[in-house]
Each structure stands twice: as C-alpha cells, then as structure tokens.
Amino acid sequence: MSTDPGRGDPPAPQYYRPGPSSGTYPQYPQNPFPQGWTPGTAPGPYPQQPAPAGPQWNTAGAGGSGPPAGLGGTPPATAPRPRQLVLGLILLLAAALPFVLMGVAAMVTPVDESILDQAGIPRAELDALMAQAGMSFEQLAQMVRVMGAIFLALALVYAVLAVVAFRGAGGARLALAVLTGVYGLPLLLMMAPTLPLFAVLVLAVAAFGLVQLYSRPAKEWYAARKVGAAQRSG
C-alpha cells in the first residue's frame, strides 16, 4: 500500500451480486478506470465522437446533382403554358372587341336623322314600325343606348372570362362555352338579315378560340395546375 498522500489507492473492483434471475452465469466486475487512465493520475474525459455531418449535395458544375426532390432547393417550375391557350385568348378577345366598340358607339352617339341616313334605314318604314309598336323616336333612341350598354357589358364579361381562363381557371373556360352557346346563336340569327358575313365571322372566331381552350395540350395544362394546387394546399 502506498503512503504517498497525493496518490490514493485505486478503488476495489465492485461485483454484481447474483440476483434471482441471473441464473448460473458469473457476474463480471465493473471497470472502475476510464479508458486510458493510469492509476495515480487524474482521470481524463472519455473521448467524444464527432457529430455526424449532414448530407452534402454536389452542386458544382453542370453535371452536379442537387438535393433530392422534396428535400429543399428551388421548387419545381410550373408547366409552360401551351401555345393553344395563347391563340385561344387572342381569338376570344378579337371576337369580343367589335361588340365593345359597337356598345360604346351606341351609348355615346345620338340617334337622329343623319344616323338613319348613314345606316340606310328609310324613315318612312321606321315610322311605320314605330307606329305599330307604339314607340316614339325618343324611346327608340333610348332603346338603342340600352342595347349598346348590354352589348358592352356582355363583351367586357366575355373578355374578362377569356383572360381568367388563360390564367388557369377551369370554371371561366366553362362559362365561356356557355356564353358562346347562349348568346352567340341568337346574335347570329339577329344580325343575319343585316350583317350576315360579320355575324358568321364573329361566331366562327369565338368558336375556334374556345376549341383551343379545350384542346389536348390545354386540358393537360389545366390538369397539371389542378394537381399542383392540390399538392400545395395539402
């Protein structure tokens, strides 16, 4: 036994006492010395394991690969808008533009004798029609302004729906189809006696633009936007 007061005797090994569930296996003593400690010196700390490094993504160079999908980085870009949608928007706006101009002209232009002469409407026939309907000339002028306001409102709604459908709203595309069928055919029948070529041309342009919105590339683009919106909301 050492008599040096600065150096104490190492502690005696401690043995586990065999318990009821230990069976017949011998109990091994605990190691009272830290790893690498020499008796008589101050025990050193146990070696610490370095923290594991996080995943490293190879982003150098054009051939490098970024982080896997869903683990950060730049979000995936949206699908490009097909050219059929661009063409459809142009055609639908072109079909609505004449009615915007007609509506504005009917609202701001006064109805008088000169307008009737320019339109080629005989005054005698017009007076006979107004007499049958019990309508005065002032009432006719007011009705023209009201019809112009209706044409302008419908044309603006049609143009706005075309822009909204172009931006990806499927409901606006359906509303355009309904408006084209509900108002397009009556308009064709109403304008056919006086402006048949114009009526057919406007309706054909609107119908062809609507077909572009329902083409296969456009349908796939709408479906992709719907799936992306569902994933972002989920």
Side-chain angles (χ1 to χ4, degrees):
M1 179 180 298
S2 174
T3 58
D4 188 354
R7 298 177 59 184
D9 295 333
Q14 301 293 327
Y15 292 89
Y16 289 109
R17 294 182 179 181
S21 61
S22 61
T24 58
Y25 296 98
Q27 301 298 317
Y28 294 95
Q30 290 182 327
N31 181 15
F33 309 113
Q35 184 178 1
W37 178 59
T38 303
T41 61
Y46 283 95
Q48 300 293 328
Q49 296 293 332
Q56 302 294 325
W57 314 118
N58 180 17
T59 57
S65 59
L71 296 182
T74 305
T78 57
R81 186 178 282 106
R83 58 183 177 84
Q84 285 81 1
L85 282 178
V86 179
L87 178 60
L89 175 65
I90 295 174
L91 293 175
L92 292 173
L93 292 180
L97 181 60
F99 296 99
V100 173
L101 300 177
M102 290 170 57
V104 173
M107 292 177 62
V108 301
T109 304
V111 179
D112 52 14
E113 297 288 343
S114 61
I115 295 297
L116 296 178
D117 294 338
Q118 292 177 5
I121 301 176
R123 180 60 188 268
E125 295 182 5
L126 181 61
D127 290 339
L129 292 175
M130 288 191 299
Q132 292 178 0
M135 182 184 301
S136 64
F137 191 80
E138 289 75 13
Q139 291 175 338
L140 176 63
Q142 183 66 26
M143 186 181 69
V144 170
R145 285 191 289 270
V146 171
M147 292 297 296
I150 293 175
F151 277 9
L152 177 61
L154 289 176
L156 291 178
V157 169
Y158 199 82
V160 170
L161 287 175
V163 174
V164 175
F166 174 77
R167 293 176 60 87
R173 184 178 56 162
L174 179 61
L176 283 170
V178 173
L179 283 178
T180 303
V182 171
Y183 294 101
L185 294 178
L187 181 65
L188 176 63
L189 296 176
M190 183 178 65
M191 300 182 66
T194 56
L195 298 172
L197 182 60
F198 173 77
V200 172
L201 180 61
V202 169
L203 186 59
V205 170
F208 189 66
L210 190 61
V211 168
Q212 299 304 309
L213 297 186
Y214 280 91
S215 61
R216 182 175 179 180
K219 288 181 179 179
E220 293 176 353
W221 183 78
Y222 280 109
R225 282 184 60 88
K226 184 181 295 185
V227 171
Q231 291 178 350
R232 288 191 297 269
S233 61

